[in-house]
Amino acid sequence: MADDAAPLLTRRDGAVLTLTLNRPQALNSFTGALHDALIGALNDAAADAGVRCVVITGAGRGFCAGQDLSDPEVAPDLTPGAVPKDIGNLIEARYKPLALRIHTFPVPVVAAVNGVAAGAGANLALNCDIVLAAKSASFIQAFSKIGLIPDCGGSWLLPRLVGRANAMALALLGDKCSAEEAQRIGLIWRCVDDAALAEEAQVLAARLAAMPSKALAETRRAFDHADRMSLDAALSLEGDVQRRLGMSHDYIEGVSAFFAKRAPVFKDR
Ligand code: T3D
């Protein structure tokens, strides 16, 4: 496939937006164009009240192989004596905003990991709220193999997800972690048969889209903050959030629907 194909495909089904990384010839690795397209689509979706869940997946046999190591923006000049590029700028300009965009997203973001997820591609998935993977998919913290550390949030996420012992082994060794092993150690939520992944991701996304979005986003925020807080502070944060949510349409609707024995219709976002 020519590299002038759209690097990101978007599909809207009701309130669910599906974003498909579309550079299958390079396992959907990140170029500047893919970064621009992904953050642009996420920003548009965040501003669109009709979008209530986003699914991120990959075209072809991979999910995302992380940074495209041949992209001129970062590819090292292998000429002896050449001045090294400052790849810290790439992290600040591209990967940090991407990870923060997902962590501050107003509605849930689901990763449907259809194949290998390596480097920043693995951590793109792990930043998402729920990670579903095909059984044949795998997760590779490929950074150590090229002399780097886990980025795109990996240094923060990994120990939180799987504990320090597993995180250190995954990051230092850079070995392939199968989807089944990833589920077993708590790196991802669950894996499903390859043929069922796309459908299961859409069913999950439609279910999340019908839920009270604000409460779901506040749950993520509370979890993200909790590690840095004392129990006392976390309890206070819970009180502050419940105070706000308790004044929302969705809380009134949820309680009304419960007593009326009907399905709630949530609207807040
Ligand atoms: O500048 C910076 O590096 C800073 C940014 C850091 C963020 C990061 O993400 S660092 C980590 C970058 N990613 C990697 O190191 C992973 C590199 N890829 C691999 O190790 C392997 O491709 C996989 C384990 C992911 C999959 O292996 P396999 O055997 O299934 O596929 P393959 O044959 O290696 O790859 C298929 C094609 O995709 C191949 O192209 P070809 O030979 O068919 O023309 C390969 O070169 C290409 N490809 C795979 N990953 C990348 C890539 N091309 C560019 N960049 C890649 N990351």
Side-chain angles (χ1 to χ4, degrees), residues 73 88-98:
E73 201 174 334
N89 288 338
L90 171 81
I91 306 304
E92 276 293 322
R94 304 281 199 193
Y95 290 103
K96 181 176 174 183
L98 177 59

mmCIF file of all heavy atoms in Angstrom, residues 73 88-98:
data_model
loop_
_atom_site.group_PDB
_atom_site.id
_atom_site.type_symbol
_atom_site.label_atom_id
_atom_site.label_comp_id
_atom_site.label_asym_id
_atom_site.label_seq_id
_atom_site.Cartn_x
_atom_site.Cartn_y
_atom_site.Cartn_z
ATOM 1 N N GLU A 73 11.427 12.538 10.587
ATOM 2 C CA GLU A 73 11.370 13.404 11.774
ATOM 3 C C GLU A 73 12.317 12.906 12.874
ATOM 4 O O GLU A 73 12.847 13.683 13.657
ATOM 5 C CB GLU A 73 9.928 13.419 12.296
ATOM 6 C CG GLU A 73 9.587 14.613 13.162
ATOM 7 C CD GLU A 73 8.098 14.642 13.541
ATOM 8 O OE1 GLU A 73 7.262 14.094 12.813
ATOM 9 O OE2 GLU A 73 7.792 15.217 14.586
ATOM 10 N N GLY A 88 13.681 13.760 22.308
ATOM 11 C CA GLY A 88 12.873 14.254 23.439
ATOM 12 C C GLY A 88 11.799 15.212 22.942
ATOM 13 O O GLY A 88 10.683 15.256 23.480
ATOM 14 N N ASN A 89 12.131 15.983 21.899
ATOM 15 C CA ASN A 89 11.146 16.922 21.336
ATOM 16 C C ASN A 89 9.936 16.182 20.782
ATOM 17 O O ASN A 89 8.808 16.650 20.872
ATOM 18 C CB ASN A 89 11.770 17.755 20.207
ATOM 19 C CG ASN A 89 12.750 18.770 20.752
ATOM 20 O OD1 ASN A 89 12.678 19.129 21.923
ATOM 21 N ND2 ASN A 89 13.673 19.228 19.909
ATOM 22 N N LEU A 90 10.203 15.008 20.184
ATOM 23 C CA LEU A 90 9.108 14.208 19.615
ATOM 24 C C LEU A 90 8.183 13.729 20.734
ATOM 25 O O LEU A 90 6.955 13.743 20.602
ATOM 26 C CB LEU A 90 9.696 13.006 18.868
ATOM 27 C CG LEU A 90 8.695 11.956 18.401
ATOM 28 C CD1 LEU A 90 8.039 12.401 17.109
ATOM 29 C CD2 LEU A 90 9.358 10.606 18.199
ATOM 30 N N ILE A 91 8.787 13.313 21.824
ATOM 31 C CA ILE A 91 7.977 12.820 22.951
ATOM 32 C C ILE A 91 7.101 13.953 23.484
ATOM 33 O O ILE A 91 5.902 13.770 23.722
ATOM 34 C CB ILE A 91 8.895 12.260 24.077
ATOM 35 C CG1 ILE A 91 9.851 11.194 23.534
ATOM 36 C CG2 ILE A 91 8.058 11.722 25.240
ATOM 37 C CD1 ILE A 91 9.208 10.033 22.831
ATOM 38 N N GLU A 92 7.707 15.119 23.679
ATOM 39 C CA GLU A 92 6.954 16.274 24.200
ATOM 40 C C GLU A 92 5.855 16.702 23.235
ATOM 41 O O GLU A 92 4.736 17.013 23.640
ATOM 42 C CB GLU A 92 7.908 17.467 24.414
ATOM 43 C CG GLU A 92 8.654 17.453 25.725
ATOM 44 C CD GLU A 92 7.724 17.657 26.931
ATOM 45 O OE1 GLU A 92 6.764 18.448 26.865
ATOM 46 O OE2 GLU A 92 7.958 16.993 27.959
ATOM 47 N N ALA A 93 6.202 16.717 21.948
ATOM 48 C CA ALA A 93 5.279 17.285 20.962
ATOM 49 C C ALA A 93 4.194 16.308 20.526
ATOM 50 O O ALA A 93 3.108 16.736 20.127
ATOM 51 C CB ALA A 93 6.061 17.756 19.736
ATOM 52 N N ARG A 94 4.486 15.005 20.582
ATOM 53 C CA ARG A 94 3.544 14.028 20.021
ATOM 54 C C ARG A 94 2.983 13.056 21.058
ATOM 55 O O ARG A 94 1.776 12.917 21.194
ATOM 56 C CB ARG A 94 4.251 13.193 18.940
ATOM 57 C CG ARG A 94 4.895 13.991 17.813
ATOM 58 C CD ARG A 94 3.871 14.417 16.825
ATOM 59 N NE ARG A 94 4.443 14.789 15.540
ATOM 60 C CZ ARG A 94 3.760 15.434 14.613
ATOM 61 N NH1 ARG A 94 2.506 15.770 14.820
ATOM 62 N NH2 ARG A 94 4.319 15.748 13.461
ATOM 63 N N TYR A 95 3.874 12.318 21.737
ATOM 64 C CA TYR A 95 3.388 11.224 22.591
ATOM 65 C C TYR A 95 2.768 11.722 23.897
ATOM 66 O O TYR A 95 1.780 11.152 24.371
ATOM 67 C CB TYR A 95 4.511 10.212 22.859
ATOM 68 C CG TYR A 95 4.851 9.442 21.602
ATOM 69 C CD1 TYR A 95 5.985 9.741 20.853
ATOM 70 C CD2 TYR A 95 4.008 8.443 21.128
ATOM 71 C CE1 TYR A 95 6.272 9.062 19.675
ATOM 72 C CE2 TYR A 95 4.288 7.758 19.959
ATOM 73 C CZ TYR A 95 5.415 8.065 19.240
ATOM 74 O OH TYR A 95 5.682 7.382 18.073
ATOM 75 N N LYS A 96 3.359 12.776 24.464
ATOM 76 C CA LYS A 96 2.777 13.303 25.715
ATOM 77 C C LYS A 96 1.356 13.840 25.482
ATOM 78 O O LYS A 96 0.428 13.451 26.209
ATOM 79 C CB LYS A 96 3.692 14.389 26.303
ATOM 80 C CG LYS A 96 3.187 14.978 27.599
ATOM 81 C CD LYS A 96 4.175 15.984 28.179
ATOM 82 C CE LYS A 96 3.566 16.662 29.401
ATOM 83 N NZ LYS A 96 4.448 17.694 29.953
ATOM 84 N N PRO A 97 1.145 14.697 24.453
ATOM 85 C CA PRO A 97 -0.238 15.158 24.219
ATOM 86 C C PRO A 97 -1.195 14.014 23.907
ATOM 87 O O PRO A 97 -2.359 14.053 24.312
ATOM 88 C CB PRO A 97 -0.104 16.096 23.011
ATOM 89 C CG PRO A 97 1.332 16.498 22.975
ATOM 90 C CD PRO A 97 2.110 15.359 23.563
ATOM 91 N N LEU A 98 -0.708 12.984 23.225
ATOM 92 C CA LEU A 98 -1.588 11.857 22.874
ATOM 93 C C LEU A 98 -2.044 11.111 24.140
ATOM 94 O O LEU A 98 -3.237 10.836 24.330
ATOM 95 C CB LEU A 98 -0.847 10.912 21.917
ATOM 96 C CG LEU A 98 -1.587 9.649 21.504
ATOM 97 C CD1 LEU A 98 -2.913 9.979 20.814
ATOM 98 C CD2 LEU A 98 -0.705 8.793 20.587
#
